[in-house]
Amino acid sequence: MRVQALVFVATGLFLALIGAIYWFTSYEPAGTVLLVLGLGLAVIPGTFLLRRTVSAPALAEDRPEADPGDGAGPLGTFPASSVWPVVFAGGAALTGIGLVFGATLESRGTH
């Protein structure tokens, strides 16, 4: 978990650096606010993961002597084949077509 935490914290530091450079080169507030909010979105989970690494056991990717199979776990069970993904895709396509052509027919004023 330490590796993931460091990736989040490093991303936050990168966004802080880019935000400072962006502010001092453009003085544009909207982009700077977005970069600062991105900094917060990176630091919050990074801090949580860093605090959790203290109490949780080390994961396989955190141990240098780990084997590739140490991180593998059970795959679980997979559901049988189902028709519902096809039904959902057909409904989504029909909804999209209805939105496109319904708006076109409505704008023509066909009554």
Side-chain angles (χ1 to χ4, degrees):
M1 231 179 305
R2 187 165 177 81
V3 174
Q4 293 93 340
L6 292 177
V7 167
F8 275 111
V9 171
T11 302
L13 292 175
F14 173 75
L15 288 173
L17 175 70
I18 294 300
I21 292 171
Y22 185 80
W23 172 253
F24 287 116
T25 57
S26 70
Y27 294 107
E28 196 263 323
T32 307
V33 168
L34 289 174
L35 287 168
V36 169
L37 290 175
L39 160 72
L41 288 175
V43 169
I44 290 170
T47 305
F48 169 76
L49 289 172
L50 277 177
R51 290 182 64 190
R52 188 153 178 217
T53 56
V54 175
S55 61
L59 297 176
E61 58 263 20
D62 293 332
R63 293 182 284 132
E65 72 279 352
D67 291 326
D70 289 347
L75 292 177
T77 59
F78 296 100
S81 61
S82 173
V83 71
W84 290 111
V86 176
V87 171
F88 179 73
L94 190 61
T95 301
I97 290 170
L99 289 172
V100 170
F101 290 113
T104 304
L105 292 174
E106 190 68 30
S107 66
R108 287 184 179 181
T110 58
H111 297 299

